[in-house]
Amino acid sequence: MERTVGEVMHVGVLTCRRETPIQDVARQMSEQDISALVVVDDEGYMVGLVSRTDLVNARLYEQYWKHWRGLTAGHIMITDVVSVTPQDTLQHASRLMMERRIHRVVVVEPGEKGLRPIGVLSVTDVVRDIAKE
């Protein structure tokens, strides 16, 4: 039987808000040794994602930003976040990561006003799962 995302994913999500300064985003990623934060609204619904790559890209264009110190997660986050549900197959999630050339998908559950992040499935999780077989 095909394994599901729910069997392999990291449960729980580290988040920030749109208004979180990017220095705080970077600090949280560094301290927690993670590569992305899910950006959520006041009710905990996903509105975006900030990755280490987004932070590096922002630094590359620092000279063009008049208010570098005022940049927030909302300024640099992506809003087209690739997500899956715990019931999706691991093969489906892996295919999405390869096709989109991304390192993670956010695991979500539908809510009244959007998608609630409940976990993350990364390429590292997939590799660990392969190693267990």
Side-chain angles (χ1 to χ4, degrees):
M1 183 170 179
E2 180 78 32
R3 291 181 53 78
T4 65
V5 169
E7 296 175 86
V8 180
M9 71 181 205
H10 276 95
V11 176
V13 181
L14 293 174
T15 64
C16 67
R17 303 289 174 97
R18 280 187 175 109
E19 61 275 7
T20 304
I22 63 169
Q23 293 83 359
D24 292 346
V25 171
R27 189 174 304 111
Q28 187 174 357
M29 284 185 198
S30 180
E31 289 172 357
Q32 299 290 326
D33 194 26
I34 57 170
S35 61
L37 288 177
V38 177
V39 184
V40 295
D41 65 14
D42 291 337
E43 297 181 48
Y45 290 103
M46 181 172 65
V47 295
L49 183 119
V50 177
S51 70
R52 287 180 178 169
T53 302
D54 298 322
L55 289 169
V56 171
N57 285 337
R59 176 54 56 102
L60 284 173
Y61 298 103
E62 177 179 2
Q63 63 185 342
Y64 301 109
W65 294 95
K66 286 185 177 182
H67 306 289
W68 168 250
R69 294 293 176 198
L71 281 182
T72 65
H75 291 114
I76 66 169
M77 71 182 185
I78 62 158
T79 56
D80 182 23
V81 181
V82 179
S83 62
V84 296
T85 68
Q87 297 78 28
D88 284 326
T89 65
L90 201 50
Q91 183 175 2
H92 170 71
S94 298
R95 185 177 299 115
L96 284 174
M97 287 189 275
M98 293 302 100
E99 288 173 354
R100 297 287 297 268
R101 292 188 164 98
I102 55 177
H103 299 275
R104 78 204 54 79
V105 291
V106 180
V107 185
V108 297
E109 287 184 345
E112 284 182 28
K113 299 178 183 177
L115 300 173
R116 287 197 183 275
I118 60 165
V120 174
L121 178 76
S122 70
V123 293
T124 303
D125 298 322
V126 175
V127 170
R128 281 189 189 126
D129 187 62
I130 292 168
K132 289 179 186 176
E133 291 179 359

